[in-house]
Each structure stands twice: as C-alpha cells, then as structure tokens.
Amino acid sequence: MAASTAQVLSLYRKLMKESNKFPSYNYRTYALRRVQDAFRANRSVEDPKMVEQLLNQGRDNLDMIRRLP
C-alpha cells in the first residue's frame, strides 16, 4: 500500500506533538529539530517502497518517543 500525503503529514504532526512534550528544553528542541530535518531531507523521495519504509521508520520513532518518560 502506498503512503498518502495525508498519512505523512499526520505522522509529522504526531511526531512534533509528542516531541514537544519533553520536559527538558534540550531534549525537546533536539527532538523537534531531528523531526524537521528528517522530513526536509526526505521531501523529494517519490519511490513508493522507500516512502513506505521511511513512514514505518517514523512510526517506530513515534512509538519510542511515547514510551520515554
């Protein structure tokens, strides 16, 4: 299944929202910057398999962020 633009944007919003919950300023700004940089770096990817792989990687990162205290 090919990832839609809506799925990618939804994941971006979720990652930004969860990253913004870190109580420490340093962790929070680092996580926000990493999310922004990763999405900017992969903006031009059009291969459906690669997009799906990156989307799954982003979902894994989101799960990891949610588990952290």
Side-chain angles (χ1 to χ4, degrees):
M1 177 178 93
S4 70
T5 303
Q7 288 175 316
V8 173
L9 292 176
S10 173
L11 179 62
Y12 179 78
R13 282 191 296 271
K14 288 176 185 176
L15 282 165
M16 293 298 284
K17 184 176 181 180
E18 290 298 321
S19 295
N20 212 18
K21 291 181 181 179
F22 281 112
S24 171
Y25 173 79
N26 290 332
Y27 287 121
R28 184 173 55 249
T29 55
Y30 176 75
L32 291 170
R33 188 175 65 245
R34 289 283 300 184
V35 170
Q36 291 169 345
D37 290 347
F39 275 81
R40 281 190 195 124
N42 295 303
R43 176 182 283 179
S44 62
V45 174
E46 292 185 14
D47 178 33
K49 290 182 181 181
M50 187 64 175
V51 171
E52 192 64 37
Q53 182 181 9
L54 290 168
L55 198 59
N56 288 333
Q57 185 180 14
R59 289 179 185 137
D60 291 343
N61 289 338
L62 179 61
D63 290 339
M64 184 174 48
I65 289 172
R66 285 181 174 162
R67 280 182 275 183
L68 295 174

